[in-house]
Amino acid sequence: MLTTRSLTNAIPRLASTSRVSIAGRAGFHSTRPALVKVGDSIPDLEVLTEDSPGNIVNLAKILTGKGLIIGVPAAFSPSCSNSHIPGYINSRHLKDAGQVFVVSVNDPFVMKAWASTLDPDSSSGIRFLADPSSKFTSALDLLFDGSSIFGNERSKRYAIVVDEDGKVKEAHVEPDGTGVDVSTAEKVLGLEKAEADW
């Protein structure tokens, strides 16, 4: 039988548990933390496609100078189409980001159609790339199991700022994989600070 005295004695042991282990247990995320980190190189892979399966794009080779890679779970999904990508397309600070690419685990035909829906005259300069095999996204360790919604593994939502040397300068990966918070144009392009300075 548990007495009040034995309960009281157990409480100090719980309180002395390290904050690290408690914080680790309190992280209620459904996916493990992303491994892409500052200083990583962009994966040198011939797997991304633009507009058609035969138009192969290697971001490690074409991303010269500073740039931005935005990863999304699915083309045409509500969050991606209504807020996340339009936030970048409509940002007055987009031109300061360098070359900008949107990558999704989709086929190139879907990405082409999505690009023409979001940016019909391509005035933003953003290039929409398909990762049909998910190998690029996997190399960044940013895949999650989206089979219950999308039918296969998909990309977590992220924005990676690339420096002039082709290395990751900043990695903004959504903690839950799909939310729209840390990877928004306002946070990645620094609009919150810029607008506060006005």
Side-chain angles (χ1 to χ4, degrees):
M1 180 191 281
L2 191 59
T3 65
T4 305
R5 181 181 276 289
S6 60
L7 255 179
T8 306
N9 289 339
I11 291 172
R13 284 193 301 260
L14 288 173
S16 69
T17 306
S18 79
R19 290 178 190 246
V20 173
S21 64
I22 289 172
R25 282 184 275 150
F28 298 105
H29 302 295
S30 60
T31 56
R32 65 190 172 127
L35 294 181
V36 63
K37 59 188 176 305
V38 173
D40 285 352
S41 295
I42 299 306
D44 188 356
L45 298 169
E46 305 279 337
V47 296
L48 298 174
T49 57
E50 185 174 25
D51 298 337
S52 72
N55 189 14
I56 306 295
V57 176
N58 184 332
L59 282 181
K61 291 187 175 150
I62 66 165
L63 189 52
T64 56
K66 65 181 181 176
L68 179 62
I69 304 168
I70 306 161
V72 296
F76 291 105
S77 69
S79 296
C80 301
S81 297
N82 298 335
S83 62
H84 193 218
I85 300 307
Y88 285 96
I89 291 171
N90 298 320
S91 172
R92 67 178 187 259
H93 298 284
L94 182 65
K95 64 183 180 315
D96 300 328
Q99 298 177 75
V100 181
F101 303 88
V102 173
V103 176
S104 184
V105 178
N106 277 112
D107 65 74
F109 307 113
V110 167
M111 292 301 285
K112 182 178 180 180
W114 191 41
S116 66
T117 300
L118 291 178
D119 191 14
D121 57 1
S122 302
S123 60
S124 71
I126 295 175
R127 294 173 63 183
F128 288 74
L129 306 179
D131 185 11
S133 66
S134 72
K135 289 181 181 175
F136 179 81
T137 304
S138 179
L140 293 172
D141 198 21
L142 291 174
L143 280 178
F144 76 95
D145 182 4
S147 56
S148 64
I149 299 168
F150 304 114
N152 59 349
E153 289 186 313
R154 292 298 177 116
S155 173
K156 294 178 183 180
R157 189 180 308 279
Y158 66 86
I160 294 175
V161 177
V162 181
D163 67 16
E164 291 80 5
D165 298 322
K167 305 278 188 191
V168 175
K169 182 178 179 182
E170 300 170 22
H172 304 267
V173 180
E174 294 296 342
D176 68 354
T178 60
V180 183
D181 180 25
V182 301
S183 65
T184 62
E186 292 81 11
K187 292 191 176 167
V188 175
L189 299 178
L191 294 182
E192 289 178 341
K193 181 185 181 311
E195 289 175 356
D197 294 339
W198 279 62

